[in-house]
């Protein structure tokens, strides 16, 4: 159901494996695709500027997603528990990765955080237990915020030996920045 440019709900249990969000829709509403376990592929049109809270949470068969450059906001836990998700492209238009956005994405092995990101909230990539490589391209460490009362645990419970690659000239800054210092031993310089 689409209302005033917002895709409010998708027919849960309809058995659809693929869906293309129509041009003209500007927001994927909160919980719009939540629990659509049959959904494997989603095409997001360039008219989308916002992906709502828990929009794709528990879409357990969703394997990849390309978020278009038109998107500036992705809500809390938007892709949490998408256990088959192994390929995500975050565009250089997103400035904040919200709390739990990609938490419990157990098939995700690598992620690139674009230059545009200035804030990463708690639990953003927590419990992504296959995540081995994080490419964080901003030269200034994104501001780290706690998730509720828990510590800033954005990269907790990733794959053993997970490496966080940051710009070579910014290694020292990342290693002492609040929220990043707990991962200091995993932070490595990289020439982007």
């Amino acid at each position: 159901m689409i209302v005033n440019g917002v895709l409010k709900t998708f027919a849960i249990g309809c058995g659809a494996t693929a869906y293309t969000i129509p041009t003209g829709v500007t927001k994927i509403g909160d919980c719009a695709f939540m629990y659509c376990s049959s959904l494997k592929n989603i095409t997001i049109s360039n008219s989308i500027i916002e992906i709502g809270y828990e929009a794709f949470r528990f879409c357990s068969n969703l394997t990849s997603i390309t978020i278009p450059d038109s998107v500036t906001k992705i809500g809390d836990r938007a892709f949490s528990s998408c256990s088959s998700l192994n390929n995500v492209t975050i565009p250089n238009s997103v400035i904040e990765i919200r709390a739990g956005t990609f938490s419990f994405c157990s098939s995700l092995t690598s992620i690139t955080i674009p230059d545009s990101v200035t804030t990463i909230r708690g639990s953003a990539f927590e419990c992504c237990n296959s995540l081995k490589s994080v490419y964080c391209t901003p030269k200034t460490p994104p501001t780290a915020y706690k998730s509720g009362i828990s510590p800033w645990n954005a990269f907790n419970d990733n794959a053993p030996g997970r490496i966080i690659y940051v710009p070579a000239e910014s290694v020292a800054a990342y290693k002492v920045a609040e929220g990043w210092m707990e991962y200091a031993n995993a932070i490595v310089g990289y020439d982007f």
Side-chain angles (χ1 to χ4, degrees):
M1 178 172 66
I2 299 170
V3 178
N4 296 325
V6 178
L7 192 151
K8 296 275 192 183
T9 58
F10 184 74
I12 297 173
C14 71
T17 59
Y19 183 71
T20 298
I21 296 173
T23 300
V25 174
T26 57
K27 178 181 178 180
I28 300 170
D30 297 345
C31 306
F33 291 88
M34 190 177 195
Y35 289 108
C36 289
S37 59
S38 61
L39 191 64
K40 293 181 181 180
N41 299 302
I42 186 88
T43 302
I44 300 176
S45 69
N46 287 328
S47 61
I48 298 291
I49 58 173
E50 183 177 347
I51 298 173
Y53 168 87
E54 298 186 345
F56 294 95
R57 192 172 191 191
F58 299 114
C59 288
S60 57
N61 283 305
L62 187 63
T63 57
S64 69
I65 190 153
T66 299
I67 302 167
D69 289 335
S70 58
V71 173
T72 58
K73 182 178 179 185
I74 302 172
D76 292 0
R77 293 179 293 283
F79 298 98
S80 179
S81 302
C82 290
S83 55
S84 297
L85 190 64
N86 58 38
N87 186 9
V88 177
T89 301
I90 301 172
N92 207 27
S93 53
V94 172
I95 59 171
E96 180 177 17
I97 298 176
R98 300 285 304 168
T101 300
F102 297 101
S103 61
F104 296 94
C105 289
S106 55
S107 295
L108 194 61
T109 59
S110 177
I111 192 76
T112 298
I113 298 168
D115 289 339
S116 58
V117 172
T118 59
T119 304
I120 300 177
R121 299 275 176 178
S123 304
F125 299 95
E126 184 178 30
C127 295
C128 293
N129 53 20
S130 295
L131 187 60
K132 297 176 182 176
S133 303
V134 175
Y135 296 91
C136 192
T137 65
K139 289 181 181 169
T140 300
T143 302
Y145 286 99
K146 294 180 178 180
S147 178
I149 59 171
S150 64
W152 189 81
N153 45 9
F155 300 104
N156 284 8
D157 299 319
N158 292 162
R162 180 256 302 110
I163 302 293
I164 300 173
Y165 297 97
V166 303
E169 67 269 28
S170 303
V171 170
Y174 272 85
K175 287 189 174 193
V176 298
E178 185 176 351
W180 294 94
M181 65 178 71
E182 64 189 86
Y183 305 112
N185 291 338
I187 293 173
V188 173
Y190 190 82
D191 291 323
F192 290 103

